[in-house]
């Protein structure tokens, strides 16, 4: 696996991966312990668990990442959908590995002006014809996903309609800049509150694909997938979004700002 520009390889007897150049010594040391990076993070003294598919950990950054943020997020890839109960955390070793795909997509998204947390490292653990994998990204302080803002049991400081305006903006940015996200949903858009308003970030880019520069991404599939996700959360939580919330989301779809 050839790492993207700015990253360096790291290897151990049962696994291999890549890390941002300044973090490569950390990754090599972590892999030398014989455990997964996800397990290593789970026993770190600074570890706290985040909401997500499976166990997602936040830890103090042990090295300098691409943006020098103070904490990292460590995620173990876990399948969803129909294949989740069958394969769990296993992926077929065909084509490019998920951590590499996600890192390449993240770099391209950032290059095209789409906000997404910087990738620190990706690790692959071969398992016969399958593999398991971890991804490490820098943590955006105070970020909560859209489902928590709109449907979470505890309230957040982020205004729901402002969150949906920011969400509509990032969807429009994906379309305009030619990055197609086939699984856009209320869990992979995270938001932060700033003095200027609400900022939205895209996460879970491992299945994203970039179109040639100047060629927009198809709008309808991403909008449909996101809105289907919101309706599923409405059904599961019993909390219905008011029409003003849908209007706030739709208002940004056609804007170029």
């Amino acid at each position: 696996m050839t790492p993207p520009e700015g990253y360096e390889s790291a290897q151990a007897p049962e696994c291999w991966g890549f890390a941002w150049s300044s973090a490569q010594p950390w990754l090599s040391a972590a892999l030398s312990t014989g455990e997964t990076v996800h397990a290593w993070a789970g026993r770190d003294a600074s570890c706290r668990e985040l909401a997500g598919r499976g166990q997602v950990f936040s830890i103090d950054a042990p090295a300098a990442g691409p943006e020098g943020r103070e904490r990292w997020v460590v995620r173990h890839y876990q399948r969803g959908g129909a294949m989740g109960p069958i394969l769990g955390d296993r992926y077929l070793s065909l084509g490019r590995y998920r951590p590499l795909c996600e890192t390449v997509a993240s770099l391209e998204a950032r290059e095209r002006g789409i906000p997404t947390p910087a990738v620190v490292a990706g690790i692959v653990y071969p398992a016969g014809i399958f593999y398991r994998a971890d991804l490490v990204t820098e943590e955006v302080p105070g970020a909560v996903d859209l489902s928590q803002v709109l449907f979470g049991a505890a309230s957040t400081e982020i205004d729901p309609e402002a969150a949906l305006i920011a969400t509509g903006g990032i969807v429009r940015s994906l379309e305009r800049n030619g990055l197609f996200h086939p699984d856009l949903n209320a869990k992979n858009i995270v938001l932060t509150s700033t003095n200027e308003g609400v900022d939205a970030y895209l996460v879970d880019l491992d299945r994203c694909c970039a179109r040639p520069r100047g060629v927009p991404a198809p709008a309808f599939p991403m909008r449909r997938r996101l809105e289907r996700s919101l309706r599923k959360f409405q059904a599961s939580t019993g909390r219905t979004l008011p029409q003003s919330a849908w209007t706030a989301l739709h208002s940004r779809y056609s804007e170029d700002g």
Side-chain angles (χ1 to χ4, degrees), residues 145-163:
D145 70 51
L146 182 61
S147 72
Q148 292 175 282
V149 173
L150 300 180
F151 305 104
S155 62
T156 73
E157 62 180 10
I158 298 174
D159 176 73
E161 290 190 13

Side-chain angles (χ1 to χ4, degrees), residues 7 65-67 69 106 110 116-121 136-140:
Y7 294 80
E67 294 184 343
R69 293 189 182 271
S106 175
R110 290 160 64 83
T116 183
V119 174
V120 177
V136 185
T137 60
E138 291 191 312
E139 181 176 350
V140 179

Side-chain angles (χ1 to χ4, degrees), residues 95-117:
R96 291 200 303 179
Y97 295 98
R98 289 293 178 104
L100 182 59
C101 290
E102 183 148 1
T103 304
V104 170
S106 175
L107 290 169
E108 188 65 31
R110 290 160 64 83
E111 179 69 21
R112 298 188 186 198
I114 298 166
T116 183

Side-chain angles (χ1 to χ4, degrees), residues 11 17 27 29 33 38 104 111-112 127 149 151 179 181 192 196 232 245 249:
Q11 194 162 352
L27 180 59
T33 65
H38 187 258
V104 170
E111 179 69 21
R112 298 188 186 198
V149 173
F151 305 104
L179 193 72
H181 195 308
T192 61
E196 290 74 33
K232 283 185 175 181
L249 175 64

Side-chain angles (χ1 to χ4, degrees), residues 241-254:
L241 294 177
Q243 183 56 45
S244 59
W246 292 104
T247 300
L249 175 64
H250 296 160
S251 70
R252 289 289 281 125
Y253 281 166
S254 59

Side-chain angles (χ1 to χ4, degrees), residues 19-37:
W20 185 247
S21 295
S22 56
Q24 194 274 351
W26 156 78
L27 180 59
S28 293
L31 296 182
S32 71
T33 65
E35 60 183 348
T36 68
V37 170

Side-chain angles (χ1 to χ4, degrees), residues 69 115-117 140 143 170 188-192 194 199-203:
R69 293 189 182 271
T116 183
V140 179
I170 203 168
N188 52 36
I189 292 174
V190 299
L191 305 126
T192 61
T194 69
D199 290 338
Y201 295 80
L202 188 69
V203 298

